[in-house]
């Protein structure tokens, strides 16, 4: 999906990692094929390579045996050999062909677990890395495009491993062996023609494939664009309907598909040109070898069996070369796709644990809450635009602080800094006296529970979404959290109960139902510190009162930060700070701020007129 626009979307950020060469991509892949600390995998790879060598040795020896059989069965030698020699040669021929196929199959069977594990480890590493990079990166990227990069990278790795190990390397080995054998059995002219034809073939293919790879990159980019537009439009189905923009979305999608169509046609036409050139090179090589062989037959230097051998070798060698263009392009494209995935792995982790970082420790003996201190905090999403300008406040353990202010004042930025989606530019944030930059991110985020304003649920069951707050929680624990969040009765009335699927991003539930599920999820997490970011904004007044009572119960003996727009929800806060232009304009209790008749009082008066609240006095 397309991430919503945010100030950080225009933030100063590191330049994207430069593309790497094909050789660098291959080198990056090698550790997955020869993993350290896994001797079993290394033994499998080494044994598979031995079987590959045995398979190719058997393959290149087949034409030799075949030629000897033909010479042995020739009329001039039939009397001398009787039936013994041809029979032995025929049996040897059959055994070698079986060995060639058998060694190849054993090679594949041995290498398959190594290949699949390498693919799995690389995909998992990429997935974990995407969760480890900063929020800034994800706000700048489109999730649909990222998922396509990972999917293609995994498929590309499978293609490279399958074709490079089982096709290209054996073909190169076979070429060397065939050249040596032809030189030994005939003379240097046959070897030179064979080797030269193959080199010209490979060089021609590499040049054409290099051009085609550029077309493929363009096709990939347009494919990403089309996929992203499709996914974005379908995710925002309701918005499309609200504005009657189905035709507009279709035109955007068709425009992306048209660009993909043009790129795909160029790829196909270039493939046809490459195949034609390869056929001409192959035919020229075969013709020259046939002319040499025919000349040898005339002067008596070549027997019928040797004539068959040299032609069999060429046909046997050109058979895999016929697919070299497709193989080369597939490998080249696989390397391009892999490079895109490796590029994701090279995206720096903006927020990292310091060396020797320790877990956040609870200073209270029961670990029930933690005090939060913002000390001279300054922060900006851009170096030339400061959002927070020296924020100072403290929330004692078990206390409740509310943060209010106009849109863009920096309220949500405070919660992001506390959760350490970003690091402060200046100043520091402490929990129980510990700078959050000196503790591990896992322990910090395990301490904090967030109920966001924009609740997004997984396309799974209600049970899964509530249980996400504590994976492995029992059904009783899930139901208890749902009761506290005032959502259990609603779920119990559904035909499938807790097994009800909520749809993409929870669209099958109303806004209030989604928020109550989110509240239940946070309740189940049982954090020491709560951040409520407009947690009841989508609820009606009656439900809001019920949820506020539930949240007060949950917040008991927990440190709570409330980011609020509705001032009626924070009148019981121990302290309220009013932000304006990144600074604390006012602070105090609800009554004290009303008595000041300042910014907070004016905000209260405006909302009182809208919602019939008690006016400021």
């Amino acid at each position: 999906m397309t991430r919503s626009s945010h100030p950080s979307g225009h933030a100063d950020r590191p330049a994207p990692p430069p593309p790497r060469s094909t050789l660098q991509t291959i080198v990056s892949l090698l550790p997955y094929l020869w993993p350290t600390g896994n001797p079993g995998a290394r033994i499998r790879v080494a044994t598979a390579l031995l079987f590959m060598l045995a398979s190719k040795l058997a393959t290149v020896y087949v034409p030799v045996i075949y030629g000897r059989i033909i010479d042995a069965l020739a009329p001039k030698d039939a009397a001398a050999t009787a039936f013994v020699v041809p029979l032995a040669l025929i049996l040897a021929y059959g055994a070698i062909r079986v060995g060639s196929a058998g060694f190849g199959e054993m090679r594949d069977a041995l290498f398959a677990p190594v290949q699949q594990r390498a693919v799995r480890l690389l995909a998992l590493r990429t997935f974990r890395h995407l969760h480890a990079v900063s929020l800034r990166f994800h706000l700048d990227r489109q999730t649909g495009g990222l998922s396509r990069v990972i999917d293609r990278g995994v498929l590309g790795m499978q293609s490279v491993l399958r074709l490079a190990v089982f096709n290209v390397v054996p073909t190169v080995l076979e070429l060397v062996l065939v050249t040596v054998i032809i030189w030994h059995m005939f003379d240097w002219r046959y070897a030179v023609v064979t080797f030269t034809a193959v080199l010209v073939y490979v060089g021609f293919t590499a040049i054409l494939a290099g051009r085609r790879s550029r077309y493929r990159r363009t096709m990939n980019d347009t494919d990403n664009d089309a996929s992203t537009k499709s996914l974005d439009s379908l995710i925002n189905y309701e918005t499309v309907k609200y504005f009657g923009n189905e035709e507009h979305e279709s035109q955007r999608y068709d425009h992306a598909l048209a660009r993909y169509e043009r790129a795909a046609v160029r790829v196909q036409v270039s493939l046809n040109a490459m195949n034609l050139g390869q056929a001409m090179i192959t035919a020229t090589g075969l013709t020259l070898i046939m002319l040499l062989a025919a000349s040898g037959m005339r002067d008596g230097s070549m027997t019928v069996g040797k004539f068959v051998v040299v032609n069999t070798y060429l046909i046997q060698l050109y058979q895999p070369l016929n697919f070299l263009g497709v193989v080369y392009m597939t490998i080249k494209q696989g390397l391009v796709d892999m490079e895109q995935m490796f590029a994701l792995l090279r995206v720096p982790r903006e927020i990292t644990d310091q060396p020797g970082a320790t877990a956040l420790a609870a200073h209270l003996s029961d670990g029930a809450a933690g005090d939060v201190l913002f000390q001279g905090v300054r922060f900006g999403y851009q170096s030339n635009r400061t959002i927070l300008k020296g924020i100072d406040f403290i929330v004692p353990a078990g206390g409740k602080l509310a943060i209010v202010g106009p849109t863009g004042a920096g309220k949500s930025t405070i919660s992001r800094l506390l959760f350490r989606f970003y690091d402060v530019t200046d100043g520091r944030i402490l929990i129980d006296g510990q700078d959050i930059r000196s503790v591990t991110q896992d322990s910090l985020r395990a301490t904090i529970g967030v109920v966001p304003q924009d609740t997004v649920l997984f396309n799974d069951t209600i049970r899964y979404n509530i249980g996400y707050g504590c994976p492995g929680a029992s059904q009783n624990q899930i139901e208890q959290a749902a009761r506290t969040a005032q959502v259990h009765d609603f779920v119990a009335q559904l035909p499938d109960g807790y097994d009800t699927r909520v749809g993409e991003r929870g669209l099958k539930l109303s806004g209030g139902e989604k928020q109550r599920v989110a509240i239940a999820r946070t309740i189940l997490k049982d954090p020491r510190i709560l951040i409520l970011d407009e947690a009841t904004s989508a609820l009606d007044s009656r439900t809001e009162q019920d949820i506020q009572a539930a949240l007060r119960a949950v917040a008991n003996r927990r440190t709570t930060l409330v980011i609020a727009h509705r001032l009626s929800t924070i009148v019981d806060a121990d302290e309220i700070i009013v932000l304006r232009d990144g600074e604390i304009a006012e602070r105090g209790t609800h009554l004290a701020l009303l008595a000041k008749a300042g910014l907070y009082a004016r905000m209260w008066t405006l909302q009182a007129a809208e919602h019939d609240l008690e006016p400021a006095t």
Side-chain angles (χ1 to χ4, degrees):
M1 71 185 129
T2 305
R3 297 282 181 173
S4 60
S5 177
H6 186 271
S8 65
H10 307 285
D12 296 338
R13 56 185 182 274
R20 290 189 171 187
S21 66
T22 298
L23 180 59
Q24 289 175 315
T25 302
I26 294 174
V27 170
S28 300
L29 177 62
L30 292 180
Y32 296 94
L33 297 179
W34 194 255
T36 56
N38 191 347
R42 292 187 171 187
I43 291 173
R44 279 182 173 272
V45 172
T47 307
L49 292 176
L50 289 176
F51 276 118
M52 180 188 71
L53 179 60
S55 174
K56 281 301 150 189
L57 287 173
T59 299
V60 298
Y61 201 63
V62 165
V64 176
I65 299 296
Y66 188 58
R68 290 183 179 179
I69 292 173
I70 292 174
D71 285 339
L73 291 175
K76 63 178 181 178
D77 295 327
T81 58
F83 189 65
V84 177
V85 174
L87 177 61
L89 290 172
I90 291 171
L91 292 176
Y93 175 81
I96 290 176
R97 288 195 68 90
V98 171
S100 174
F103 289 139
E105 295 301 327
M106 285 187 281
R107 172 205 64 190
D108 294 357
L110 283 168
F111 193 74
V114 178
Q115 172 189 347
Q116 294 304 321
R117 179 167 288 271
V119 171
R120 169 190 167 193
L121 291 177
L122 181 57
L124 179 60
R125 183 185 170 195
T126 306
F127 182 78
R128 283 177 169 167
H129 186 73
L130 287 176
H131 278 288
V133 296
S134 68
L135 176 64
R136 192 191 309 273
F137 170 81
H138 287 282
L139 290 173
D140 289 338
R141 298 297 295 265
Q142 294 177 311
T143 307
L146 287 178
S147 65
R148 294 287 290 179
V149 168
I150 296 176
D151 291 343
R152 282 203 306 263
V154 168
L155 293 176
M157 185 175 181
Q158 290 176 331
S159 299
V160 169
L161 292 179
R162 183 181 70 255
L163 296 175
V165 176
F166 298 156
N167 193 298
V168 175
V169 173
T171 300
V172 172
L173 180 60
E174 185 175 351
L175 171 63
V176 173
L177 292 174
V178 166
T179 303
V180 172
I181 291 174
I182 288 178
W183 196 323
H184 176 72
M185 290 185 64
F186 308 105
D187 61 52
W188 62 271
R189 295 174 300 165
Y190 292 88
V192 168
V193 170
T194 302
F195 199 76
T196 302
V198 172
L199 286 184
V200 171
Y201 186 102
V202 171
F204 173 80
T205 301
I207 293 173
L208 264 292
R211 294 180 180 177
R212 294 189 72 235
S213 66
R214 294 196 294 270
Y215 303 154
R216 286 299 302 237
R217 284 192 182 95
T218 302
M219 195 169 72
N220 273 358
D221 293 340
T222 54
D223 181 38
N224 279 346
D225 187 39
S227 176
T228 299
K229 283 183 169 58
S230 171
L231 181 63
D232 204 23
S233 180
L234 292 175
I235 287 177
N236 293 284
Y237 171 85
E238 291 184 68
T239 304
V240 174
K241 289 294 183 181
Y242 290 152
F243 292 92
N245 279 340
E246 294 90 343
E247 185 58 30
H248 170 71
E249 291 296 322
S250 297
Q251 290 177 359
R252 290 178 71 233
Y253 185 51
D254 183 56
H255 179 67
L257 289 178
R259 292 192 294 119
Y260 176 82
E261 176 188 357
R262 290 192 294 271
V265 169
R266 296 183 73 181
V267 168
Q268 181 60 45
V269 171
S270 62
L271 175 62
N272 298 140
M274 185 171 65
N275 288 340
L276 179 59
Q278 289 169 341
M280 294 175 63
I281 295 171
T282 301
T284 302
L286 282 170
T287 301
L288 290 175
I289 288 293
M290 291 289 288
L291 289 174
L292 289 173
S295 176
M297 289 291 293
R298 287 187 61 186
D299 60 24
S301 63
M302 178 173 287
T303 65
V304 175
K306 288 184 177 181
F307 183 87
V308 171
V309 167
V310 72
N311 281 278
T312 303
Y313 268 133
L314 288 172
I315 294 173
Q316 182 173 292
L317 188 59
Y318 279 127
Q319 238 179 359
L321 288 180
N322 283 335
F323 300 100
L324 181 60
V326 176
V327 169
Y328 183 89
M329 272 308 304
T330 303
I331 292 178
K332 188 75 175 176
Q333 181 58 39
L335 290 172
V336 170
D337 293 339
M338 286 170 55
E339 164 52 24
Q340 291 179 341
M341 189 158 64
F342 281 126
L344 290 180
L345 289 173
R346 297 196 305 274
V347 173
R349 300 185 182 188
E350 184 179 338
I351 307 300
T352 58
D353 291 339
Q354 293 180 357
T358 58
L360 179 64
H363 284 182
L364 298 182
S365 58
D366 58 1
D371 60 77
V372 176
L373 172 65
F374 273 59
Q375 194 173 69
V377 170
R378 298 178 65 85
F379 175 75
Y381 294 107
Q382 296 172 286
S383 58
N384 59 355
R385 182 189 173 206
T386 303
I387 302 298
L388 299 180
K389 307 170 183 177
I391 300 297
D392 290 283
F393 65 79
I394 184 170
V395 190
K400 181 177 181 179
L401 173 76
I403 305 172
V404 300
T407 300
K411 303 186 296 296
S412 294
T413 299
I414 288 178
S415 68
R416 289 190 172 97
L417 291 175
L418 180 60
F419 209 72
R420 210 181 167 208
F421 280 143
Y422 305 95
D423 277 336
V424 298
T425 305
D426 196 13
R428 57 180 186 161
I429 303 173
L430 290 82
I431 295 179
D432 282 339
Q434 302 158 82
D435 192 319
I436 63 173
R437 292 170 294 189
S438 66
V439 301
T440 62
Q441 296 176 70
D442 288 343
S443 63
L444 170 67
R445 291 165 185 166
T447 301
I448 303 172
V450 181
V451 181
Q453 176 181 5
D454 183 17
T455 300
V456 178
L457 302 181
F458 293 96
N459 188 3
D460 210 304
T461 63
I462 294 177
R463 176 188 289 106
Y464 177 83
N465 277 282
I466 296 178
Y468 199 79
C470 180
S474 67
Q475 180 65 22
N476 288 337
Q477 291 172 313
I478 291 174
E479 290 184 9
Q480 182 58 46
R483 287 190 179 93
T484 305
Q486 307 289 330
V487 74
H488 173 74
D489 292 341
F490 160 74
V491 177
Q493 294 173 0
L494 298 173
D496 295 327
Y498 282 88
D499 291 323
T500 301
R501 301 189 70 88
V502 302
E504 187 80 37
R505 302 177 71 204
L507 290 178
K508 290 184 179 180
L509 303 181
S510 69
E513 292 158 357
K514 285 199 296 183
Q515 281 197 316
R516 282 183 283 181
V517 169
I519 292 170
R521 182 166 60 190
T522 303
I523 291 170
L524 190 62
K525 182 179 180 180
D526 192 23
R528 290 163 48 201
I529 299 171
L530 274 176
I531 299 176
L532 306 177
D533 188 355
E534 299 286 358
T536 60
S537 61
L539 305 180
D540 57 76
S541 299
R542 173 65 180 274
T543 305
E544 181 185 30
Q545 292 176 1
D546 295 337
I547 294 297
Q548 285 295 335
L551 289 175
R552 280 192 290 271
V554 173
N556 183 37
R557 299 175 70 246
R558 289 180 173 84
T559 306
T560 307
L561 277 78
V562 183
I563 298 171
H565 174 70
R566 271 188 219 173
L567 304 185
S568 60
T569 63
I570 55 156
V571 294
D572 61 339
D574 299 321
E575 184 180 25
I576 301 170
I577 62 175
V578 184
L579 292 182
R580 180 172 57 190
D581 296 329
E583 297 178 314
I584 298 179
E586 297 175 359
R587 65 196 314 159
T589 63
H590 170 69
L591 293 178
L593 290 174
L594 289 180
K596 287 183 179 180
L599 178 60
Y600 180 85
R602 290 196 297 274
M603 294 170 60
W604 179 267
T605 300
L606 289 173
Q607 292 193 15
E610 295 175 2
H611 302 289
D612 296 328
L613 299 177
E614 179 183 349
T617 56

